[in-house]
Amino acid sequence: MKIVIVGAGFTGIQLAKLLINEKNQVALIDNNEDTIRHAQNQLDCTVLCADGNNLETLESVGLQKADALVCVTSSDEVNMITCSLVDAVYPDLLKIARVRNYAYYVNTASAEKKHSDSFGAKHRPLYGINYMINPDVEAADAIVKAIENGAVGNVLTFDNSDLEIARITVNEKSDFDGISLKEIRSKTDIKFLVVYIEKDGKTSLPSGHTSVNAGDILGVLVQKDQLANVMKLCGTSPKEMRRVALIGAGRIGTIVADKFLNPEKTDVQKGFLKKISAFVEKRTQDFVIIDSNDALAKAAAERFPEARVMCADATDESFLRDEGITSYDLAICATHNHELNMVLAAYLESLGVGQTISLVTSSAFETIALKLGVDVPVALRDAVVDSIMSHLRGKSVKEIHTVTNGQLEIVECEIGAKSKVCGKALKEISNPGLFLVLLSRQSGIEEYKIVDGNTKLYAGDHVVIIVPGEQSKKVLSYFAGSDDN
C-alpha cells in the first residue's frame, strides 16, 4: 500500500513507523521545519516540509497513486478541509481524519445516522472523510471496556462471543509460578489458552515449553465466566466495583460517565448495559464525580443528577478520607493532566482504593504507570493509532489491537476468496512463532469459537490472529488474499 500522511506529530510518526515496518510506501508531510527534521531522523520514507492542504503538494508525493490519505495535523479544520479537497478530485481514495473537536464528531455522526439510508449510495461521505477519529471517544471507549471487565487489565472482547483475552499478572506462590505452559493443564480443567507472555519487558508468542514465573504477564483467552477462576490460579482475585469514583469531568470523563450512568443512550455491549444498569439502580449514591474546576463540576452536576458531584482537589488526603473515597472499589483518573492521572492513581491505591484506571499519553507511559501500581493504564494516543491502523488494513480487516508497544498485534480479519488458506485445516498451515490463530467463525454464523488443529477455514470465515507487529502485513496477506493488499 501507499499512504500519504499529513501531520508529523506523535500520531503521524507512530503511524509511519508501523506502516514502514510492514513494507508499505509512506509519504509524510508537515509545514514545521523542526518537526520535519525530527521525522527525517527517525523514518526511512519520503518526508516533505510543505502545506499538506495543497493538492499540488499532495500530488508531488504521489497522492494520485496512493491507497489512503491520513490527516493528523494539530488543526481539525485543516484535516477536514484537506480530506474534502482530495475527495473532490480522488473520490475513491480512502480518507481518514483525526478530529479532536467533539462537536464536529458528534454532529457528523448524527447526520450520518439520520441519513444512513442515502449515505454510501447517493452521497459522498460528509467532508469527504471515510473515517473520522476522535481521540476522546477512542479513549473513553477503552476506559469503559476496562470497567466492564472489572479493571483486570487490557481486556479484549469479541462481538457475539463469550470469550475474551485478559492480561493477568502471575503472583508469587500461585499455581502457575515456576511451571511450563504444558504443565498448566495438570493444574486445572478450565479451558483457556495463553496467547502471549510478557517476560522481562519483552512480549512473545509462547510454546508449551515456555516457563511461567512470578512477575510474568499472561495474555489469556478464556470464557468471560471463567476469568475470575483463571485469575485466582494466577494468584489474584477479581473485586466487585460497587463504589466508583471518576476523577475528571472534562470531555473524556463526561463520555465515560454518560456510558456508565446512561447506558441505554449509548452504543455499548449488552453485558455492560446489564451490569451498569444494575449498579445504577441499586447504588447510584456510590458513583462520585470529582473535579477541581468549578465550571466542569457544575456542568457534571446538571448533566448527571443521579451521581454525587464534588468540586474538590482529589490529591487532598483529608478530603479523600472525609468523603470515604479511600475505601472505594475503583477510581478512574481521567483528567486532562495525564502525568497527574498516573501519580494520583498510584496515590489512591496506597490510601486503600481497590483498583485504578488511569488515562495516560502513550504506551511509553503505560509501562511507567504499571510500575507505579496502576491497574489499567489507557493510552490516549495509542488508542487513536490502533483505530486508524484498523481502517488502513483493508476491507478484510475488521479490528486491530496492538500489544505492548506494537510488539504483537491481535487482528480480526475475513478470509478472502483468493486466500491460500481456503479449505485447509489449521494444522496444515501452522507456523509457530509467526502467527497463532485464536478464534474463528464461519460465514453466516455470529458466534466465535476457539480453534484446534482440525479447524478448517473457508472464504468468508472470520478469524482472530495474534502476530508479531513486523510480520502483520505478510500474515494478513496470507489469510485475506491479494485482493485487499
Side-chain angles (χ1 to χ4, degrees), residues 303-477:
R303 187 181 185 96
F304 307 110
E306 62 271 64
R308 185 158 59 106
V309 181
M310 292 176 283
C311 181
D313 180 3
T315 64
D316 184 347
E317 184 176 345
S318 60
F319 158 75
L320 295 171
R321 293 194 182 280
D322 289 345
E323 297 296 335
I325 306 301
T326 54
S327 64
Y328 268 46
D329 303 309
L330 173 68
I332 307 162
C333 300
T335 76
H336 67 279
N337 187 330
H338 297 172
E339 288 78 10
L340 173 63
N341 291 337
M342 288 193 299
V343 175
L344 181 56
Y347 177 55
L348 288 168
E349 286 213 21
S350 72
L351 294 177
V353 172
Q355 292 173 283
T356 55
I357 298 173
S358 171
L359 182 67
V360 300
T361 303
S362 64
S363 57
F365 288 93
E366 275 189 344
T367 303
I368 297 172
L370 289 169
K371 289 182 178 180
L372 287 174
V374 178
D375 291 296
V376 184
V378 173
L380 175 65
R381 290 174 172 174
D382 292 79
V384 173
V385 172
D386 280 355
S387 181
I388 294 174
M389 286 296 293
S390 296
H391 297 306
L392 288 175
R393 296 293 185 175
K395 63 183 180 181
S396 67
V397 176
K398 307 307 175 185
E399 188 173 353
I400 181 172
H401 182 83
T402 57
V403 178
T404 57
N405 295 320
Q407 293 179 48
L408 296 175
E409 292 182 354
I410 298 173
V411 186
E412 178 188 359
C413 72
E414 182 177 342
I415 305 297
K418 297 182 179 180
S419 172
K420 296 178 181 179
V421 306
C422 287
K424 294 184 179 180
L426 288 181
K427 61 185 177 183
E428 298 178 70
I429 62 172
S430 174
N431 196 330
L434 180 61
F435 65 82
L436 179 63
V437 180
L438 309 178
L439 304 169
S440 72
R441 66 178 175 89
Q442 295 178 344
S443 178
I445 297 177
E446 295 185 348
E447 184 178 358
Y448 268 109
K449 294 183 179 180
I450 295 179
V451 300
D452 59 33
N454 295 316
T455 301
K456 285 192 174 183
L457 303 177
Y458 299 95
D461 290 356
H462 284 221
V463 292
V464 175
I465 308 167
I466 185 166
V467 58
E470 68 274 10
Q471 297 292 336
S472 182
K473 183 181 179 182
K474 176 182 177 181
V475 171
L476 288 176
S477 177

Side-chain angles (χ1 to χ4, degrees), residues 35-344:
T35 300
I36 284 297
R37 192 177 301 113
H38 176 66
Q40 287 173 329
N41 293 332
Q42 295 190 68
L43 304 173
D44 182 18
C45 69
T46 301
V47 179
L48 179 64
C49 184
D51 288 327
N53 60 344
N54 183 295
L55 190 59
E56 290 185 3
T57 297
L58 293 168
E59 290 174 335
S60 73
V61 297
L63 180 72
Q64 59 272 33
K65 296 182 180 180
D67 298 286
L69 169 72
V70 182
C71 296
V72 287
T73 75
S74 58
S75 169
D76 290 346
E77 290 75 18
V78 168
N79 295 338
M80 296 167 73
I81 290 171
T82 302
C83 286
S84 180
L85 172 66
V86 170
D87 186 67
V89 182
Y90 301 102
D92 295 330
L93 182 69
L94 178 68
K95 292 163 285 291
I96 302 172
R98 180 185 63 191
V99 177
R100 291 191 174 103
N101 188 310
Y102 188 65
Y104 290 165
Y105 177 85
V106 170
N107 292 339
T108 301
S110 177
E112 288 181 342
K113 184 176 181 179
K114 183 178 180 180
H115 300 282
S116 59
D117 291 339
S118 58
F119 273 112
K122 299 179 180 179
H123 301 291
R124 300 297 307 147
L126 290 178
Y127 306 108
I129 303 172
N130 297 103
Y131 299 105
M132 184 179 288
I133 309 297
N134 181 268
D136 294 346
V137 171
E138 299 297 331
D141 284 346
I143 291 173
V144 165
K145 184 176 289 186
I147 297 170
E148 177 191 357
N149 290 284
V152 171
N154 294 328
V155 178
L156 302 181
T157 58
F158 305 96
D159 290 341
N160 305 311
S161 173
D162 61 352
L163 296 164
E164 60 191 11
I165 298 176
R167 184 176 181 273
I168 309 174
T169 301
V170 177
N171 292 320
E172 289 186 5
K173 298 181 179 179
S174 72
D175 288 4
F176 291 173
D177 183 14
I179 65 175
S180 66
L181 288 182
K182 65 180 180 181
E183 294 175 300
I184 284 179
R185 291 300 169 202
S186 65
K187 298 290 184 179
T188 178
D189 293 329
I190 300 171
K191 293 183 179 180
F192 67 92
L193 178 66
V194 177
V195 301
Y196 67 86
I197 182 169
E198 296 178 40
K199 186 186 289 286
D200 301 323
K202 295 183 179 180
T203 305
S204 61
L205 300 179
S207 69
H209 299 287
T210 301
S211 63
V212 178
N213 301 102
D216 292 348
I217 299 174
L218 306 180
V220 179
L221 176 65
V222 63
Q223 288 187 329
K224 294 177 182 179
D225 59 2
Q226 292 292 341
L227 175 57
N229 292 326
V230 175
M231 290 177 64
K232 290 177 182 177
L233 292 171
C234 290
T236 185
S237 299
K239 302 174 182 177
E240 284 192 348
M241 295 184 298
R242 303 186 69 83
R243 294 179 296 172
V244 178
L246 171 63
I247 301 167
R251 174 55 57 195
I252 293 176
T254 299
I255 298 172
V256 170
D258 250 333
K259 294 192 174 188
F260 201 102
L261 296 172
N262 303 310
E264 70 283 352
K265 298 179 181 178
T266 56
D267 183 20
V268 295
Q269 297 179 18
K270 292 181 179 179
F272 178 68
L273 175 62
K274 293 177 182 177
K275 182 181 296 184
I276 298 305
S277 293
F279 171 86
V280 172
E281 289 174 6
K282 298 178 181 179
R283 308 279 298 199
T284 53
Q285 72 275 16
D286 287 331
F287 185 79
V288 174
I289 301 174
I290 304 169
D291 200 294
S292 59
N293 183 289
D294 185 60
L296 290 178
K298 286 182 178 178
E302 293 176 1
R303 187 181 185 96
F304 307 110
E306 62 271 64
R308 185 158 59 106
V309 181
M310 292 176 283
C311 181
D313 180 3
T315 64
D316 184 347
E317 184 176 345
S318 60
F319 158 75
L320 295 171
R321 293 194 182 280
D322 289 345
E323 297 296 335
I325 306 301
T326 54
S327 64
Y328 268 46
D329 303 309
L330 173 68
I332 307 162
C333 300
T335 76
H336 67 279
N337 187 330
H338 297 172
E339 288 78 10
L340 173 63
N341 291 337
M342 288 193 299
V343 175
L344 181 56

